[in-house]
Amino acid sequence: MSVAYKILGVSVGTLLIGSTPLTIRKRNRDERTGKLLSAIKAQIQPIANGLIAQNAFDIHYLNKVLQSVNKEVLVLKTSTASKYADQIYKAWGSWYQGGDDEEKVYSVFRKMKDKVQVSQVAKSYQDTYSKNLIDTLKDRFDKEEITIVLNIIKALPNYRTS
């Protein structure tokens, strides 16, 4: 009986030791594949990825600012944020209706005075239309149009205090 256990133990040990290099090689290959896919995605949509990197489109950005700033932060009225979200939504048009009104969208972003306001509009957009504003912009706008929106937002301060 003990000889059978020894043979079984040696066999299991050999299998474990033999499979370890295969597991390590597969893990390394998966890591390289992930890095390659990330690099390809960054090359395909570097501008769209810039939207995600913007704190201004984070619907929780206002709360984060309020937690980190000890002063009163100026914010939009909820009705104003909702009005801006509606204006952006109404700027989207079908191709047979003449397409999207990009200038209308740009003008809404130009009305905003800081990134907290952009965040409030993004939250209102999501609450009203159940769509993420970032995803909508990526779907509707091409690279140059997204760049214009990003440049408008980059020029804005993070927040304003009274």
Side-chain angles (χ1 to χ4, degrees):
M1 220 13 115
S2 66
V3 175
Y5 286 126
K6 288 181 183 177
I7 294 173
L8 181 63
V10 170
S11 299
V12 169
T14 304
L15 286 174
L16 287 175
I17 292 171
S19 65
T20 301
L22 296 174
T23 304
I24 292 171
R25 187 170 58 186
K26 183 178 186 289
R27 187 179 313 135
N28 289 339
R29 186 177 55 224
D30 289 346
E31 286 177 17
R32 286 192 307 263
T33 302
K35 288 178 184 177
L36 176 63
L37 290 175
S38 295
I40 290 171
K41 185 176 179 182
Q43 289 295 322
I44 292 172
Q45 287 192 333
I47 301 301
N49 290 339
L51 286 172
I52 296 169
Q54 279 293 327
N55 286 333
F57 287 105
D58 179 359
I59 62 173
H60 304 292
Y61 183 62
L62 171 60
N63 295 332
K64 292 174 185 176
V65 168
L66 291 175
Q67 289 174 354
S68 64
V69 176
N70 293 332
K71 297 179 183 178
E72 186 175 328
V73 176
L74 297 174
V75 296
L76 285 175
K77 292 180 183 177
T78 306
S79 61
T80 305
S82 180
K83 182 180 82 170
Y84 287 161
D86 288 342
Q87 289 175 0
I88 292 172
Y89 184 79
K90 290 176 182 171
W92 309 133
S94 301
W95 63 270
Y96 56 85
Q97 295 173 323
D100 300 330
D101 187 353
E102 294 87 2
E103 288 302 322
K104 189 173 184 181
V105 175
Y106 303 151
S107 72
V108 171
F109 283 109
R110 287 185 183 112
K111 291 177 189 175
M112 296 179 215
K113 297 186 177 15
D114 57 43
K115 293 178 182 172
V116 166
Q117 291 184 354
V118 175
S119 171
Q120 289 180 272
V121 171
K123 181 170 181 5
S124 179
Y125 191 92
Q126 182 163 334
D127 291 346
T128 304
Y129 302 107
S130 300
K131 294 180 182 176
N132 186 314
L133 186 55
I134 293 173
D135 294 337
T136 304
L137 289 171
K138 287 193 304 188
D139 290 343
R140 293 293 195 156
F141 279 1
D142 62 22
K143 183 174 152 181
E144 291 79 23
E145 294 163 339
I146 290 174
T147 302
I148 292 170
V149 171
L150 286 173
N151 288 336
I152 293 169
I153 293 170
K154 284 179 185 176
L156 298 174
N158 289 332
Y159 59 88
R160 296 173 303 131
T161 57
S162 57

